[in-house]
Amino acid sequence: MKPPVKLAVVGAAALAAFALLVGLGLWQLQRLAWKEALVARIESRMAAEPAAPPAEAEWAGLDVDQWAYRRVRVEGIFDHAREARVYVALSEPRGPAGGPGYFILTPLVLADGSRIIVNRGFTPEPKADPATRAEGQATGPVTVTGVLRTPEDRNPFTPADQPAKRLFFARDPAAIAAGLGLDRTAPFTIDADATPNPGGFPQGGETRVSFPNRHLEYALTWFGLAAALVGVFAAFAWRILRDRRGR
C-alpha cells in the first residue's frame, strides 16, 4: 500500500475511533449530570416534611418510582405474628449494631384493613428470634415515620426465599406478602426512621442511599484515550511522511 493511501486509511480509522471515544466521554458527562440531579432530588425528598403515603385506592396504578425516598407518616397496628426477616450484612451502620443480621419487616395494619410492610430496622443474628427482643414488639396503635422504598431488585445470585421460615433475601413486598399469605398489601415498603425501639431492636434509621457515581472518572478515561489516540496517530503520520521525504 502506498504511503498516502496507507495514511488515509489509518487516518479514517483513527478519526472514527476518535469520534467514538469523544462520544463516550460526552455520554458519561450526560450521565454525571443525570446522577447529580437524581441525588439532589432524593436528598430533597428525604429532607421534606413527612406526608401520608398513597392510599390503597391508588396502589393499582401507582408509579412507585415517583414516591421513592419520600418521607411518609402513617398510623396502624403491627402484625408481629407475620414478621419477616430479610438477610443483610450491615456494614457502616448508623446505630451501634452491625454485621450479619436481618432487616425486620412487619406488616402494619391500617384502620381500613389494608397493610403496608414496614422495615422496622436491623437486628443482629443473635436477636433474630422475636422472643429475644420482646420489649421492642410494640402493641396497640403506633405512628411510623420513615422513607418510602420501591421493591428491591433481585439478581441471578439472589438466594431463593424461604417463606416457611419467614426468611427473604430482598425487600420485595409482593413476594413477602405472597409468602406470608397477606392480601391488600402496598406495592412499596417503608423504612422506619431512627426513633428508638424499647430494648434497642430493631435498630431503625438504616436506610441506605447509595448511587455509585464514577461518571466523571469514566469520562476522563474516554477523553484520555481519545487524546492518546491523537498522539499515536500523529507519531504514525510523522513517520510515514518522514520516510516518504527520505526516499
Side-chain angles (χ1 to χ4, degrees):
M1 184 180 295
K2 294 182 178 181
V5 176
K6 184 177 182 180
L7 184 59
V9 171
V10 174
L15 181 61
F18 177 81
L20 175 62
L21 293 171
V22 171
L24 288 170
L26 293 174
W27 175 66
Q28 287 295 338
L29 290 180
Q30 292 173 350
R31 293 283 294 171
L32 173 64
W34 170 82
K35 183 66 66 68
E36 290 178 340
L38 173 65
V39 171
R41 183 165 66 250
I42 287 174
E43 289 178 347
S44 175
R45 289 179 179 182
M46 294 184 68
E49 287 298 313
E56 183 181 12
E58 304 174 67
W59 292 350
L62 185 67
D63 184 350
V64 181
D65 288 336
Q66 294 299 316
W67 278 85
Y69 295 101
R70 292 184 186 274
R71 291 187 70 215
V72 294
R73 179 175 290 144
V74 63
E75 296 181 359
I77 297 175
F78 280 125
D79 182 2
H80 295 295
R82 290 181 172 83
E83 172 184 292
R85 294 173 292 133
V86 174
Y87 180 80
V88 62
L90 187 64
S91 60
E92 300 181 4
R94 293 185 173 86
Y102 305 94
F103 283 136
I104 302 302
L105 275 71
T106 307
L108 183 72
V109 183
L110 309 190
D112 62 2
S114 62
R115 298 175 175 87
I116 297 176
I117 294 176
V118 175
N119 177 4
R120 299 185 63 214
F122 174 79
T123 186
E125 287 185 327
K127 292 285 187 178
D129 186 345
T132 64
R133 45 183 167 81
E135 62 270 39
Q137 304 294 82
T139 59
V142 296
T143 299
V144 174
T145 302
V147 177
L148 190 147
R149 299 296 302 274
T150 59
E152 187 174 21
D153 292 333
R154 297 173 183 265
N155 60 55
F157 303 102
T158 303
D161 295 331
Q162 301 177 35
K165 297 181 179 180
R166 297 184 182 175
L167 176 60
F168 298 83
F169 291 90
R171 287 177 285 101
D172 181 347
I176 294 172
L180 300 183
L182 303 176
D183 60 1
R184 301 180 63 191
T185 303
F188 53 81
T189 60
I190 295 175
D191 282 359
D193 65 13
T195 300
N197 287 304
F201 296 108
Q203 176 178 287
E206 295 295 344
T207 297
R208 290 293 179 268
V209 183
S210 177
F211 296 98
N213 189 356
R214 301 180 63 186
H215 298 295
L216 181 58
E217 176 185 337
Y218 296 151
L220 293 175
T221 298
W222 291 123
F223 290 142
L225 289 172
L229 177 63
V230 170
V232 170
F233 176 74
F236 171 80
W238 177 81
R239 191 186 69 183
I240 290 291
L241 295 174
R242 181 197 63 185
D243 292 347
R244 186 183 182 195
R245 286 196 301 267
R247 290 176 180 155

